[in-house]
Amino acid sequence: MPKLSRVPVPGGDLTVATWGEGSRPVLAIHGITASHLAWAEVARLHQGRIIAPDLRGRGGSACLSGPFGMAAHAEDCVAVLDALGIERATVVGHSMGGFVAATLAHRHPSRVHDLVLVDGGAPLPEGEVDTEAQLGPAIHRLSMRFASVEEYRDFWRGHPAFAEWSPAIESYVDYDLTGTPPNLRSRVNADAVRADFLDLHTRSTAFDAVPAGTVFLRAERGLLDEPVPLYPHPEEFADRVRVRTIPGTNHYTILFGADGAHAVAAELVP
């Protein structure tokens, strides 16, 4: 398990997880309804130091109010680097974390040694911005109540992207719970999710400014393990990044599955 610490940011403290040691730290930024434990399998494989904050409104930082949005999260991440005395880091972001990572690299290029985007950070296909429809069970659970930890695990076992259950997924799911039975609930702040979802769909200049040759790891399948991936047309941004599609992965198993976690960890090697 990682070591947890608290880092002061505007409005309170962020919970920050650290795995391992090393002189080339990795700052790992999770997705829109996730937590630092989204990186547990990658951290287990990576032979070095990984620092993963719970973004405000999520996990151990759930009580932090706004402002939300990519710029606010990027500034919180810089505060984490400052608090830990880290001048430059490899920055990796998954899903919404990719947008935060790109924004951080745009606003504070001197703090980023390398940038790795994992199924997020590039402009999303245009269409209706519908949080409920696009995030599915991940957002639906925020309004639900659960009688027991096992009932919550069963809810996630039914998620089509988590067909292969693992100890890492179970720990990730358990960490998300708060309250007491029979009124357990996700501790993710739904207002934060909606604000961030709208912000990441707003066209920004951050992706246009990512360093040429930045690695973009793309899941082969989508958020619900559907055949159409989150990024169906990677050729549209291949002039900005080096796209690698990881076979057999969906939007979640690109971090939790063996093939995906190994592919991500390999890109973090100095």
Side-chain angles (χ1 to χ4, degrees):
M1 294 297 290
K3 176 184 176 182
L4 298 183
S5 60
R6 306 286 290 177
V7 169
V9 293
D13 293 335
L14 282 185
T15 292
V16 179
T18 302
W19 289 268
E21 298 178 349
S23 59
R24 179 70 64 79
V26 173
L27 176 69
I29 309 173
H30 66 68
I32 194 165
T33 69
S35 72
H36 71 268
L37 283 178
W39 297 100
E41 280 298 282
V42 173
R44 184 178 64 82
L45 296 168
H46 179 64
Q47 301 300 310
R49 185 182 180 195
I50 290 186
I51 299 141
D54 284 342
L55 298 179
R56 62 174 63 225
R58 287 84 170 172
S61 310
C63 292
L64 270 173
S65 60
F68 302 110
M70 305 307 105
H73 293 308
E75 295 306 317
D76 286 347
C77 287
V78 170
V80 170
L81 296 179
D82 288 343
L84 298 179
I86 297 170
E87 187 62 33
R88 300 179 77 203
T90 293
V91 178
V92 57
H94 170 247
S95 192
M96 184 192 82
F99 291 85
V100 177
T103 301
L104 193 162
H106 183 213
R107 294 169 69 99
H108 300 279
S110 66
R111 309 303 296 271
V112 179
H113 189 281
D114 295 297
L115 181 65
V116 179
L117 304 178
V118 183
D119 219 36
L124 292 164
E126 293 186 5
E128 184 180 0
V129 180
D130 185 335
T131 318
E132 300 285 342
Q134 293 190 36
L135 295 182
I139 185 78
H140 178 57
R141 81 184 194 276
L142 305 189
S143 61
M144 299 175 66
R145 296 296 180 268
F146 301 87
S148 66
V149 172
E150 195 58 38
E151 183 178 317
Y152 192 52
R153 291 173 181 172
D154 286 343
F155 170 82
W156 277 107
R157 284 189 183 100
H159 192 298
F162 285 148
E164 295 184 19
W165 197 255
S166 70
I169 294 173
E170 189 163 290
S171 295
Y172 168 80
V173 166
D174 289 356
Y175 181 71
D176 185 53
L177 272 181
T178 190
T180 56
N183 289 303
L184 296 168
R185 60 178 176 81
S186 168
R187 50 177 162 174
V188 174
N189 181 331
D191 291 337
V193 172
R194 292 188 176 92
D196 287 341
F197 190 78
L198 290 173
D199 189 52
L200 67 83
H201 279 81
T202 301
R203 176 73 190 188
S204 77
T205 58
F207 181 74
D208 296 331
V210 301
T214 291
V215 172
F216 187 99
L217 300 179
R218 171 180 175 261
E220 186 178 46
R221 301 174 68 85
L223 280 82
L224 301 178
D225 200 44
E226 67 272 37
V228 179
L230 182 63
Y231 288 96
H233 303 294
E235 67 278 1
E236 294 178 355
F237 50 85
D239 61 328
R240 295 269 355 125
V241 295
R242 290 189 291 118
V243 180
R244 281 186 57 209
T245 299
I246 311 304
T249 63
N250 61 48
H251 186 69
Y252 291 95
T253 60
I254 200 168
L255 289 188
F256 286 104
D259 291 343
H262 275 92
V264 175
E267 293 295 343
L268 306 181
V269 175

